[in-house]
Amino acid sequence: MERQRLSLTTVLLLSIPPILWAGNAIIGRLVRDAMPPMTLNLLRWSIALLILLMLGRAALRPGNGVLRNWRRYALLGLLGIGLYNSMQYLALTTSSPLNVTLVASGVPVWMLLVGRLFYNVPVKGRQIGGAVLSIAGVLVVMCRGSLAELAALRLVAGDLIMIVATIVWSFYSWSLLQKHDVPALRADWAAFLLAQVAYGVLWSGALASGEWALSTPQIVWSWPLAFALLYLAIGPAIIAMRCWGAGVQRAGPGISAFFINLTPLFTALLSAAFLGELPQLYHVAAFGLIVGGIVVSAR
C-alpha cells in the first residue's frame, strides 16, 4: 500500500498528535485519584461529541452512510475511542506517563505485524530490523533497565495493559484506510470523526457502567478537574485525532506509526516539569533503541 512521500504538511500533521498525547498522559496521571479511568474516558469523549455535533453536522444528513455502515463506525469507535483511551488511563493508574508512552512506542512493531497478517501488506527486511530495535527498547522499559528484573519477568500491570492498547491502536489505524465511506463524509473531517465518536461514546458508556457496577469509584470534582476534561476533549481528542487521521491518509499507517515515538520525548519533558518524575538512564537507553528502530526502518 503505497503512500505519498512525506511533505512538510504531512510531517506537521503527524507531529502535533504526539505533543497533545504527551499532555494526555500527564493529565491522566494527575487526575487518577479524582476520577476512575473508564469514567474519565466517557466524560472526555462526551464533551468532544458535543463539540463535534456543531462542527460535523454533515454526519447527521440522510445518505451519509453512518447508519448503513454502522458496523464500520462502531468498530472504529470501539478501537480508537472506547478501548485504546480507556486502557491508557487504566495503565496510568499503575505506571508512570513516561513508561506508558515508551511502551506505546512499540506500536510500529504491531503496525507492521497487523498490516502483514490482516491486510496483506509486505514487510521489508529493514523494517524487521527496526522492529527488533523497537522491541528491545520496550523490553528495557519493562525490565527497568535491569537484567535481573528481565530474568524474573516482573512486569507492572500498566505496562502490559499498554501493550494490548498499542495492538488495538494498530488495528484502528489500518481500519482508517479501508474504502467503505461515502466520499462526502470522508471529505469532511469533523463529520467523519463524529461518526466514530458517536459510537465510541456508546462503547465508553458501557465500559464505565461496568466500572461502576464492579467497584465503588469516587469522583472528586474541582475546577482543575473540569479544565483537565476540557483539555482532554479538545486537544488529545478532537485536534489530535483530526491530525492523525489526515496524516495516516497521506503517509500510511506504517510510516505514521514512527511519529508516535516522539510522544515519550515530550512526555519526559512534561513529566519533569509537572510531576517531578525525572527520566532515568534506562529511559534514555530505551528511547535510543526506539529511535534507532525508526532510522533503520525508514531508510
Side-chain angles (χ1 to χ4, degrees):
M1 185 177 295
E2 294 293 333
R3 295 288 160 189
Q4 69 181 51
R5 291 179 178 273
L6 287 178
S7 65
L8 180 61
T9 301
T10 305
V11 170
L12 180 61
L13 285 171
L14 293 173
S15 298
I16 291 175
I19 299 174
L20 297 173
W21 288 334
N24 182 45
I26 298 298
I27 295 296
R29 179 59 176 259
L30 287 172
V31 303
R32 62 175 179 172
D33 295 328
M35 182 174 291
M38 305 302 173
T39 304
L40 175 63
N41 191 57
L42 172 61
L43 293 181
R44 166 202 186 186
W45 285 106
S46 296
I47 297 172
L49 177 62
L50 295 176
I51 298 173
L52 288 170
L53 283 172
M54 296 182 288
L55 300 176
R57 288 187 295 272
L60 305 177
R61 297 171 184 167
N64 54 32
V66 174
L67 294 178
R68 184 175 70 251
N69 296 331
W70 69 269
R71 291 182 179 85
R72 167 168 171 74
Y73 300 114
L75 178 63
L76 290 173
L78 172 63
L79 298 176
I81 310 300
L83 286 179
Y84 178 79
N85 291 276
S86 295
M87 295 177 73
Q88 184 181 40
Y89 292 139
L90 183 60
L92 285 167
T93 61
T94 56
S95 188
S96 70
L98 189 53
N99 271 21
V100 163
T101 52
L102 274 170
V103 171
S105 294
V107 74
V109 178
W110 303 112
M111 205 77 83
L112 293 176
L113 290 176
V114 169
R116 180 66 184 91
L117 295 176
F118 296 93
Y119 297 93
N120 199 32
V121 178
V123 178
K124 299 179 180 180
R126 288 189 298 272
Q127 292 175 309
I128 296 176
V132 170
L133 288 175
S134 293
I135 290 175
V138 173
L139 287 176
V140 168
V141 175
M142 295 177 64
C143 72
R144 307 300 191 265
S146 170
L147 291 177
E149 289 199 20
L150 179 61
L153 294 177
R154 187 177 69 85
L155 303 177
V156 173
D159 297 340
L160 294 175
I161 293 172
M162 204 59 213
I163 288 178
V164 178
T166 58
I167 299 174
V168 169
W169 185 257
S170 299
F171 277 101
Y172 170 76
S173 295
W174 281 109
S175 297
L176 282 175
L177 290 181
Q178 305 310 300
K179 306 295 184 180
H180 302 303
D181 306 300
V182 173
L185 178 67
R186 192 56 181 257
D188 188 331
W189 72 268
F192 183 59
L193 184 55
L194 174 59
Q196 303 173 54
V197 173
Y199 288 100
V201 167
L202 296 177
W203 290 114
S204 300
L207 293 172
S209 297
E211 181 177 61
W212 283 82
L214 297 175
S215 61
T216 55
Q218 295 181 347
I219 300 178
V220 183
W221 289 106
S222 64
W223 281 112
L225 178 60
F227 286 121
L229 284 171
L230 192 61
Y231 167 78
L232 295 177
I234 297 176
I238 295 177
I239 297 177
M241 294 290 279
R242 155 60 174 159
C243 294
W244 179 257
V248 169
Q249 284 293 307
R250 288 167 169 262
I255 297 298
S256 301
F258 295 136
F259 283 81
I260 295 179
N261 293 280
L262 295 173
T263 308
L265 176 61
F266 298 122
T267 304
L269 297 175
L270 292 176
S271 293
F274 295 102
L275 300 179
E277 297 178 353
L278 297 178
Q280 304 297 315
L281 286 178
Y282 73 83
H283 286 127
V284 177
F287 188 72
L289 287 169
I290 293 170
V291 170
I294 296 174
V295 173
V296 171
S297 299
R299 286 179 61 86

